[in-house]
Amino acid sequence: MELSLRARVRAGDPDAFGVLYDECARSVYNHAFRLTGNWSAAEEVVSLTFLEAWRLRGKVDPDGGSLRPWLLGIAGNVARNVSRAASRHQMAVARLPPPHPVPDFTDELAGRIDDEARLRELSAAMAGLRRGEREVLALCVWSGLDYADAARVLGVPVGTVRSRLSRARKKLRTLVGEPGPDPGRGREPGVGPRTDKGDRENAFWSTQMRNR
C-alpha cells in the first residue's frame, strides 16, 4: 500500500519534502509576507519554515488532509522571531552615525513605488489590530483556511477564530476609512478564490478593502 504524503514526510522522505515544498512554498511565502510586510524577510521565513518542518516532521500525524495549515502555523512562529530580530537590528542601526549621501537611483526604483506606498498603508492599518486578530485575518482571509483549520493552527476554539475575524474586519474598515461590506461576508473563509495564487500585489492588498 502506498504511503500518504503525510506518512512519507513523517518518515523523513526527502522526495516527499520536495513535493510538499512545491505544493506549499508559494502559500507560505504569501503568508509570511503578510505578517512581516517585507519581501526579503518573507523569503527568510520560507527557508526557516521548511527547515523547522523537517526538524518537527516526527510530530506529523500520518492521517489527515493537507499539511498546509501545519506549515502556516510554523511560518507564523518563525515570522514573529524574524520580526523581533529585525527590530533589534533596526535599533542597533539607529544608534550608528548617519551614512554619507548616495546617488538617487529613482529610475530603478520607480516600478516599486506604488507597491511600497500600498504596503505602508496596509502596515499602518494592520498595526492597529491585536496580534491574534492579525493572525486570524492572515490565515482565514488571505491564506483561505477555514475556521476549523485556523483554529487548529492557532490552538484556539473555532468560536474564538470567528470573533477575532469579525473584530479584525470591523477595525480594518474603520482604519482604512472605507466603510462597506466585509470582504468574504456571506461565506466561510477557505471558500472561493485564494490570494496565494495571485501576484505579489494581490498577495498583500487585493483582499483589503480596495476591490470590494
Side-chain angles (χ1 to χ4, degrees), residues 33-122:
F33 173 73
R34 292 158 189 149
L35 295 178
T36 63
N38 182 281
W39 310 124
S40 178
E43 291 170 353
E44 181 180 1
V45 169
V46 172
S47 298
L48 294 175
T49 293
F50 281 92
L51 286 174
E52 186 70 358
W54 176 263
R55 189 180 71 83
L56 299 174
R57 64 189 183 278
K59 297 184 178 181
V60 172
D61 189 336
D63 299 319
S66 170
L67 285 169
R68 192 170 73 102
W70 177 64
L71 288 173
L72 294 181
I74 295 175
N77 293 330
V78 171
R80 282 193 291 272
N81 293 336
V82 168
S83 295
R84 291 190 193 105
S87 296
R88 290 193 294 268
H89 175 73
Q90 290 171 359
M91 288 188 289
V93 170
R95 294 193 290 268
L96 298 175
H100 295 292
V102 297
D104 183 6
F105 299 102
T106 303
D107 291 341
E108 297 180 18
L109 298 177
R112 300 178 61 183
I113 290 176
D114 188 55
D115 277 357
E116 291 173 356
R118 293 186 181 192
L119 175 57
R120 285 193 296 270
E121 186 176 352
L122 172 60

Side-chain angles (χ1 to χ4, degrees), residues 104-163:
D104 183 6
F105 299 102
T106 303
D107 291 341
E108 297 180 18
L109 298 177
R112 300 178 61 183
I113 290 176
D114 188 55
D115 277 357
E116 291 173 356
R118 293 186 181 192
L119 175 57
R120 285 193 296 270
E121 186 176 352
L122 172 60
S123 297
M126 292 294 288
L129 303 180
R130 295 182 178 180
R131 190 183 82 180
E133 294 167 347
R134 290 196 300 270
E135 290 175 338
V136 168
L137 190 74
L139 290 170
C140 291
V141 176
W142 286 328
S143 292
L145 296 192
D146 59 25
Y147 295 128
D149 280 342
R152 282 191 289 271
V153 168
L154 298 174
V156 299
V158 170
T160 299
V161 171
R162 291 175 181 270
S163 60

